[in-house]
Amino acid sequence: MKTFKKAYLLLFSLTAFIHTTNAQSKANIEVNFDKNIAPMKPIWAWFGYDEPNYTYMKDGQKLLTEISKLSPVPVYVRAHNLLTSGDGTPALKWGSTNAYTEDAKGNPVYNWKIVDQIFDTYVKRGMKPLAQIGFMPEALSTKPQPYQHKWKPGARYDEILTGWAYPPKDYKKWAIWYTSGLNIV
């Protein structure tokens, strides 16, 4: 716990230093790690990640269990790509749930199976999901192709900002989809 306190204080100090540096031209901060003032009470435990499909896999479940056991308070978790189209195959900086597609006539088809697996994994571990309801389903994207990016370190944003990052082609369908997603999830 002492190591955690030191890491927390260091992070707090660095944050304060950066903020102070931006506000003034010079600041001095001194931290005495040997002096205990009071027990540290966690007020917020959270993290996020890009690859939601690893959540319900064996190693993802193991990692989430370990993270939840480390915290004396419930852990909040937020994952990208909860509404991205695809078959649930994981990839770096990518995920997919296929929560929204359309049939041949353009009618909405909702499938919450993968999203449910993700949220069930969190809830089973006492975690609190923060639902990031962003990223455009392929069927609603104004530029659906290319849809999935192939992320690699150093990639330019024009390679990463593919169909998932475009606005909806039909705002009425988007509004209905968005509202129905909020009610179902």
Side-chain angles (χ1 to χ4, degrees):
M1 191 64 176
K2 250 185 176 178
T3 303
F4 179 75
K5 285 182 183 178
K6 287 180 181 180
Y8 177 78
L9 286 173
L10 180 60
L11 178 62
F12 176 80
S13 298
L14 289 173
T15 303
F17 175 75
I18 291 167
H19 177 72
T20 305
T21 303
N22 288 337
Q24 303 172 355
S25 61
K26 184 176 179 181
N28 293 321
I29 296 176
E30 193 172 309
V31 178
N32 183 349
F33 288 115
D34 294 326
K35 183 177 179 183
N36 286 327
I37 297 171
M40 185 182 83
K41 294 179 182 174
I43 58 169
W44 188 259
W46 68 273
F47 75 99
Y49 53 99
D50 293 313
E51 302 89 355
N53 303 105
Y54 290 116
T55 301
Y56 48 84
M57 294 180 178
K58 180 183 169 188
D59 290 336
Q61 290 181 30
K62 181 177 184 261
L63 178 61
L64 290 169
T65 299
E66 291 170 0
I67 289 170
S68 69
K69 287 181 178 180
L70 286 172
S71 179
V73 296
V75 176
Y76 289 79
V77 60
R78 185 251 338 123
H80 285 312
N81 293 295
L82 289 176
L83 303 180
T84 312
S85 300
D87 63 3
T89 301
L92 286 175
K93 306 294 268 178
W94 182 260
S96 61
T97 65
N98 233 28
Y100 179 92
T101 56
E102 293 179 354
D103 65 17
K105 294 180 181 179
N107 297 312
V109 176
Y110 303 103
N111 182 345
W112 300 106
K113 181 181 178 187
I114 295 174
V115 174
D116 286 345
Q117 281 183 283
I118 293 165
F119 279 62
D120 288 348
T121 302
Y122 298 150
V123 171
K124 183 177 179 183
R125 285 152 184 79
M127 300 175 124
K128 303 227 180 222
L130 298 172
Q132 179 183 6
I133 48 176
F135 295 26
M136 188 60 57
E138 185 175 12
L140 288 174
S141 178
T142 55
K143 186 181 178 201
Q145 293 300 319
Y147 187 69
Q148 182 178 347
H149 61 74
K150 304 294 183 210
W151 183 85
K152 61 185 178 293
R156 296 184 335 262
Y157 276 104
D158 63 342
E159 295 175 26
I160 297 169
L161 298 176
T162 53
W164 64 269
Y166 281 78
K169 64 183 176 187
D170 183 329
Y171 278 92
K172 186 175 181 181
K173 277 186 179 180
W174 173 247
I176 293 168
W177 146 246
Y178 211 68
T179 305
S180 74
L182 289 172
N183 291 333
I184 295 172
V185 176

